[in-house]
Amino acid sequence: MILFDCIDAGHEKNDRKIVTLRVAVSKEVFDHESFHLSALQIPFSFMFIDSLDEIEILEEFDIVQMASLGDIGLAAAINLLSALTFLIAFAVLRIQPINDRVYFPKWYLKGLRTSPLHSGAFVSKFVNLDFNSYIRFLNWMPAALQMPEPELIDHAGLDSAVYLRIYLLGLKIFVPIALLAFSVMVPVNWTNDTLKRSNLVYSSIDKLSISNIPLGSNRFWTHLVMAYAFTFWTCYILKREYQIIATMRLHFLASERRRPDQFTVLVRNVPPDPDESVSELVEHFFLVNHPDHYLTHQVIYNAKKLSSLVAKKKKKQNWLDYYQLKYSRNQTERPTKKTGFLGLCGNRVDAIDFYTDEIDKLSKEIELEREKVIKDPKSIMPAAFVSFRTRWGAAVCAQTQQSRNPTTWLTEWAPEPRDVYWNNMAIPYVSLTIRRLIVAVAFFFLTFFFMIPIAFVQSLANIEGIEKAAPFLRAFIEIPFIKSFIQGFLPGIALKIFLIFLPTILMIMSKFEGFISTSALERRSATRYYIFQFINVFLGSIITGTAFQQLDKFIHQSANEIPKTIGVSIPMKATFFITYIMVDGWAGCAGEILRLKPLIFYHLKNTFLVKTEKDREEAMDPGTIGFNTGEPQIQLYFLLGLVYAVVTPFLLPYIIVFFGFAYVVYRHQIINVYNQEYESAAAFWPDVHGRIIFALVISQLLLMGLLSTKEASNSTPLLITLPVLTIWFHRFCKGRYEPAFIRHPLQEAMMKDTLERAREPNFNLKEFLQSAYIHPVFKGGDEDSESEAMSEEGEQEPVLVQTKRQSRKNTPAPSKHSSSLSSPLHESADKHLRP
């Protein structure tokens, strides 16, 4: 029998009385009917009626069954077993000599490790015969923790070291919060008998949560005080960490070896001039406006077609190497291939001769295209990399306005050469705003329509829904092990599969926007990935049971009811998020360290493509941290921990286990595996800080909405203060520490310049910078001669040249086309510029 107990009929809205109902379902009915329990001791729905007599008993309710501690324990055991299986497999595979390059590629790239295949008996070259090493299969964990942080920075860079500190930050925040929650809030929740007296179906987890507190109880003050304590502790740790990392960044920039980007700025939107080329215009502008510090420059070419030809030639070369290797192993027969689509049709020809001819043709095309790019003025973009004699000069130029027109001669710090994303350098600056608008609209629709598969994924956790859709599966699903597997493991796996392709889509969007560095691309992609996960994984998982099945009720709700709607759904979703953390966090980290995909691909390449030692080095895939996917995923755990810290503290230990395990795993990977593509000196930390602040504010708003439905309205004014204080704290940190991540102090630059001049007075800086920012397609191989030709022009010291530009007579910049100086400004410039 189903009972409707009227809890609150005390206020009206739009001439209709709002009634909050509590649903009590008997155990027999629950076992034999298709019901879901949506909220335990929390208002089930907001129903608009004219009188209590008009309540109609519905055939179906939006209710979600809560898993018991036994189900959670079994799910945890499954995931722990999976993680342990991955770790044992990793422990066995990593000590095999044949896999040494897969699990320690970073040391090979540094030249500090040699292959164990070159010495010893034949069998020992491929299989580790030391049985003691199998016993110590977890010795990689203490080894990963032994390297001190300063040594780690020297070994892997500041980006990698600071990335690891995100995991430590999670431990610093949640370990004290968990201790306080379990010592104060859990006893307060557990010692009530509200759920027991309500005749509702509940689990032991619910007794530990806020759901076990009776309506209007004074015990809610405990949760309010804990919300303040958790907020203050989180803000304290965030401020301390922000200060430490800002200091680390400044120290890293001051102590790091000389790099081209320290002396170089990127200038964009160079105004057109009919009398001078972009190169001449850039040279004249900086000779006049930065006479004592300008050193050299490199214009930017639109080399997209040339790049595609070079990439095509590289692919053809790989096929040629493959067939040459195949022929060297069996010289009795020349390899052949078909020239048609995918080699499935067409005439059969000699493969080696075919690819040799193709490469020769491409080499000629590349040569012609390269000459066209160099000589065609339309291939030169209105942008250039400008290098200075000192860091101080570069800092002044990068951080100041160059002309009276703020839309021209735009300067910013140049990314380091390996961080430049050359494909976007040819995008006109004026089109960037339009591109970003297009991407914003596309991202909105992507986020919105992705809710449909998320809803399907969440339905997998609904045992009763599956049985109703497919009654013939009831006997199979009701098997305890299968039921626990579906509820505790399958939803997280299915959701993970949906999210696999998302980072690639978001990265394509970021590239279309026109960001010029890989680090900026990853940071923007990470921001969108976090927004997507917040809306679809967090809010989508919470709302799916109500927003999609009771959409007609939500349409009639006002905006201030949304936090209440989400808040009341949070406690009953703790089970899903616990299983998600175990699948994605625990088993996911163990799968990361196993490196199954790189292992398979390495051995495939080693079998079919590797011919020389250089080939074997190129077959290694060390990979990178993957900031665009890894950091947003970490932030989701911060969000879950901060939201559930007050509501359901039972979730916190699972998050702590994740942060601790992930810290050890990724420290090992950074030391032994990952080879970072760039170094941004922890430029991403303001984004990390901002997202944690966002999670903190969201947790406060949702707690406010939840307590407002628990007849704890007296606490609302005090809760409103929390997000205000949190936002004020964020603005304080933004003003105090963020400048260290977006500007470079002139004092630090001058100090570094002075020390270097004293230590290396004869260092040829121009030679060091001359070809640093030349497009990669003009470097290496048969492009060396052109690279040298491109850099010849700047080998001489800048000298004053005259101009007779009729279009801009007021410009005090001389040109090569002039025969005389025509103004006192020219004479003044001549005194400053002539060597």
Side-chain angles (χ1 to χ4, degrees):
M1 180 177 183
I2 303 176
L3 302 177
F4 289 89
D5 180 16
C6 180
I7 299 175
D8 177 18
H11 60 286
E12 297 183 356
K13 181 177 182 179
N14 298 332
D15 299 326
R16 307 183 76 182
K17 194 173 292 274
I18 299 177
V19 182
T20 304
L21 301 175
R22 181 171 61 206
V23 183
V25 185
S26 68
K27 188 68 170 62
E28 293 76 13
V29 173
F30 189 87
D31 288 339
H32 294 87
E33 302 292 338
S34 298
F35 292 108
H36 306 308
L37 189 56
S38 169
L40 301 177
Q41 194 60 21
I42 299 176
F44 146 68
S45 63
F46 295 95
M47 304 181 68
F48 294 87
I49 61 174
D50 294 326
S51 67
L52 293 178
D53 296 334
E54 295 183 11
I55 296 180
E56 297 180 1
I57 299 179
L58 305 178
E59 293 182 0
E60 296 185 11
F61 298 90
D62 175 33
I63 312 176
V64 176
Q65 181 184 6
M66 302 298 291
S68 65
L69 277 177
D71 293 332
I72 293 294
L74 184 55
I78 293 173
N79 286 283
L80 283 175
L81 183 61
S82 301
L84 185 60
T85 302
F86 288 149
L87 290 178
I88 293 175
F90 164 70
V92 173
L93 292 173
R94 69 183 285 269
I95 60 177
Q96 307 306 319
I98 196 173
N99 299 326
D100 202 58
R101 290 180 181 269
V102 177
Y103 294 108
F104 301 95
K106 191 162 191 172
W107 297 103
Y108 282 92
L109 294 175
K110 287 179 173 288
L112 301 176
R113 193 180 182 98
T114 58
S115 175
L117 301 180
H118 296 316
S119 60
F122 178 79
V123 177
S124 62
K125 290 181 179 181
F126 302 96
V127 180
N128 189 341
L129 300 179
D130 182 10
F131 293 100
N132 291 328
S133 61
Y134 291 92
I135 299 175
R136 304 186 300 270
F137 72 98
L138 291 179
N139 64 348
W140 63 270
M141 289 188 176
L145 300 174
Q146 287 177 358
M147 182 179 288
E149 188 172 66
E151 186 178 342
L152 180 65
I153 294 174
D154 293 337
H155 175 70
L158 185 63
D159 279 346
S160 299
V162 171
Y163 184 83
L164 288 174
R165 292 188 71 95
I166 303 177
Y167 295 104
L168 284 180
L169 179 66
L171 294 175
K172 293 176 183 177
I173 290 176
F174 289 116
V175 169
I177 285 179
L179 293 176
L180 189 60
F182 273 83
S183 60
V184 177
M185 282 200 308
V186 168
V188 170
N189 296 336
W190 181 267
T191 53
N192 287 281
D193 57 355
T194 305
L195 292 175
K196 184 177 181 180
R197 289 187 291 103
S198 65
N199 294 322
L200 296 175
V201 178
Y202 62 91
S203 69
S204 301
I205 297 177
D206 304 316
K207 293 187 66 177
L208 301 176
S209 73
I210 199 172
S211 301
N212 201 30
I213 305 294
L215 299 178
S217 172
N218 289 330
R219 297 196 176 198
F220 286 120
W221 287 102
T222 304
H223 300 79
L224 176 64
V225 172
M226 289 296 101
Y228 268 88
F230 297 164
T231 298
F232 288 158
W233 174 253
T234 303
C235 290
Y236 167 74
I237 294 298
L238 283 176
K239 177 185 177 299
R240 186 168 173 268
E241 199 70 15
Y242 214 150
Q243 183 178 10
I244 292 173
I245 293 175
T247 303
M248 290 173 62
R249 173 180 166 87
L250 293 176
H251 177 74
F252 178 79
L253 294 175
S255 60
E256 195 187 16
R257 68 184 187 280
R258 186 185 291 107
R259 291 194 325 188
D261 55 291
Q262 298 170 348
F263 301 87
T264 307
V265 302
L266 172 65
V267 56
R268 308 179 76 171
N269 225 26
V270 176
D273 191 291
D275 300 312
E276 290 191 331
S277 66
V278 173
S279 181
E280 293 170 339
L281 197 59
V282 170
E283 181 181 17
H284 291 160
F285 182 86
F286 286 96
L287 278 172
V288 170
N289 296 285
H290 299 269
D292 298 326
H293 300 282
Y294 168 74
L295 182 60
T296 185
H297 74 279
Q298 176 60 59
V299 294
I300 296 172
Y301 294 90
N302 184 356
K304 285 188 175 181
K305 183 178 179 180
L306 180 59
S307 298
S308 64
L309 290 174
V310 172
K312 188 176 180 180
K313 178 183 175 182
K314 185 177 180 181
K315 291 181 180 179
K316 300 287 187 183
Q317 186 65 49
N318 288 340
W319 278 109
L320 178 60
D321 293 342
Y322 166 73
Y323 283 114
Q324 286 178 338
L325 176 62
K326 185 176 181 180
Y327 179 64
S328 66
R329 291 177 175 175
N330 182 14
Q331 298 186 2
T332 59
E333 183 180 358
R334 297 271 294 186
T336 61
K337 74 175 297 294
K338 291 184 177 181
T339 58
F341 178 72
L342 296 178
L344 300 177
C345 58
N347 299 326
R348 183 169 293 278
V349 297
D350 185 283
I352 296 178
D353 293 340
F354 173 79
Y355 282 110
T356 301
D357 294 340
E358 289 288 312
I359 291 173
D360 290 340
K361 292 177 183 178
L362 285 173
S363 297
K364 295 177 181 179
E365 289 184 42
I366 289 172
E367 183 65 25
L368 292 174
E369 181 64 23
R370 187 168 59 242
E371 293 178 1
K372 178 182 176 181
V373 169
I374 297 297
K375 296 178 181 179
D376 186 5
K378 295 182 180 179
S379 297
I380 302 177
M381 303 303 299
F385 289 105
V386 181
S387 298
F388 295 81
R389 300 178 186 274
T390 61
R391 294 176 180 82
W392 189 92
V396 170
C397 181
Q399 298 167 178
T400 55
Q401 181 175 317
Q402 301 302 308
S403 70
R404 65 178 63 183
N405 185 351
T407 63
T408 61
W409 295 105
L410 304 177
T411 56
E412 59 183 289
W413 279 108
E416 64 169 336
R418 59 178 178 164
D419 191 20
V420 177
Y421 186 70
W422 290 98
N423 291 341
N424 282 354
M425 297 303 298
I427 297 176
Y429 184 81
V430 293
S431 69
L432 295 181
T433 302
I434 299 175
R435 283 171 170 261
R436 288 172 186 176
L437 176 61
I438 294 173
V439 169
V441 174
F443 177 68
F444 170 79
F445 283 101
L446 173 68
T447 304
F448 178 78
F449 286 109
F450 209 86
M451 291 290 287
I452 297 173
I454 292 294
F456 172 75
V457 168
Q458 293 307 302
S459 68
L460 294 176
N462 180 5
I463 297 295
E464 290 71 26
I466 296 176
E467 292 179 348
K468 183 177 180 180
F472 59 90
L473 294 177
R474 179 186 294 269
F476 177 74
I477 292 176
E478 288 298 330
I479 299 175
F481 176 79
I482 300 299
K483 185 175 182 179
S484 298
F485 177 83
I486 292 175
Q487 289 183 326
F489 195 79
L490 193 58
I493 287 292
L495 181 59
K496 189 69 175 177
I497 292 174
F498 275 114
L499 296 177
I500 284 177
F501 301 102
L502 179 63
T504 302
I505 298 173
L506 297 180
M507 183 59 74
I508 292 173
M509 287 183 173
S510 298
K511 291 177 179 178
F512 181 78
E513 282 188 278
F515 291 98
I516 61 168
S517 66
T518 305
S519 57
L521 288 171
E522 291 197 347
R523 289 200 297 272
R524 176 54 66 94
S525 181
T527 299
R528 289 207 172 96
Y529 193 35
Y530 178 71
I531 294 173
F532 183 92
Q533 291 213 103
F534 171 74
I535 294 175
N536 287 287
V537 179
F538 179 70
L539 293 183
S541 298
I542 291 175
I543 298 176
T544 297
T546 52
F548 283 85
Q549 298 179 13
Q550 297 184 6
L551 185 59
D552 57 330
K553 297 183 180 68
F554 278 90
I555 291 176
H556 296 88
Q557 290 185 6
S558 61
N560 60 357
E561 297 293 331
I562 295 176
K564 297 181 182 180
T565 304
I566 301 174
V568 299
S569 303
I570 286 177
M572 59 91 176
K573 278 297 179 180
T575 301
F576 169 78
F577 285 122
I578 288 174
T579 58
Y580 181 82
I581 292 169
M582 289 188 292
V583 172
D584 186 73
W586 298 6
C589 285
E592 169 64 27
I593 201 170
L594 181 59
R595 287 177 55 79
L596 188 59
K597 179 181 175 181
L599 177 69
I600 294 173
F601 275 85
Y602 170 76
H603 286 299
L604 288 176
K605 292 178 181 178
N606 202 34
T607 302
F608 297 106
L609 297 177
V610 169
K611 180 180 180 181
T612 64
E613 190 66 22
K614 183 179 180 181
D615 296 333
R616 188 169 286 106
E617 291 179 0
E618 292 178 352
M620 291 188 303
D621 180 22
T624 63
I625 292 174
F627 180 84
N628 59 312
T629 57
E631 191 270 344
Q633 196 65 22
I634 303 172
Q635 293 293 344
L636 179 62
Y637 297 126
F638 276 102
L639 176 65
L640 294 177
L642 292 172
V643 167
Y644 281 96
V646 178
V647 177
T648 309
F650 186 76
L651 180 137
L652 292 177
Y654 296 89
I655 290 181
I656 292 173
V657 170
F658 162 75
F659 278 118
F661 183 43
Y663 174 73
V664 177
V665 167
Y666 282 95
R667 208 173 201 275
H668 173 274
Q669 299 296 84
I670 285 173
I671 292 174
N672 299 300
V673 181
Y674 296 148
N675 185 40
Q676 196 66 7
E677 296 178 351
Y678 60 85
E679 177 58 61
S680 69
F684 57 80
W685 190 258
D687 296 335
V688 174
H689 176 89
R691 284 193 266 275
I692 297 176
I693 291 292
F694 174 80
L696 196 58
V697 172
I698 290 296
S699 68
Q700 295 159 356
L701 294 178
L702 295 184
L703 179 63
M704 195 185 312
L706 176 59
L707 292 183
S708 65
T709 66
K710 301 285 283 183
E711 297 184 6
S713 57
N714 293 335
S715 63
T716 302
L718 292 176
L719 276 175
I720 292 176
T721 308
L722 267 183
V724 174
L725 291 176
T726 305
I727 294 172
W728 174 86
F729 166 78
H730 176 60
R731 291 178 60 86
F732 165 77
C733 290
K734 187 177 180 68
R736 174 64 180 84
Y737 302 112
E738 189 173 331
F741 294 85
I742 58 178
R743 290 192 285 270
H744 190 64
L746 295 180
Q747 181 185 22
E748 298 287 333
M750 179 62 75
M751 186 183 305
K752 184 71 172 176
D753 290 334
T754 304
L755 288 174
E756 281 198 355
R757 280 196 298 268
R759 293 172 180 171
E760 302 176 79
N762 299 321
F763 181 78
N764 190 339
L765 183 61
K766 187 167 187 177
E767 182 180 352
F768 174 71
L769 298 172
Q770 191 66 56
S771 60
Y773 285 97
I774 292 178
H775 198 292
V777 297
F778 298 114
K779 292 183 178 181
D782 56 359
E783 288 87 10
D784 277 341
S785 59
E786 192 59 51
S787 176
E788 293 173 3
M790 292 176 62
S791 60
E792 267 182 7
E793 184 180 359
E795 292 200 0
Q796 302 297 325
E797 287 293 319
V799 296
L800 185 64
V801 285
Q802 303 172 352
T803 184
K804 57 177 182 181
R805 289 176 295 173
Q806 301 300 319
S807 59
R808 298 177 64 193
K809 289 185 177 181
N810 62 335
T811 303
S815 171
K816 295 178 180 179
H817 307 291
S818 173
S819 59
S820 63
L821 297 176
S822 58
S823 74
L825 284 174
H826 294 156
E827 297 175 3
S828 174
D830 187 28
K831 293 179 181 178
H832 288 286
L833 300 179
R834 195 181 304 277

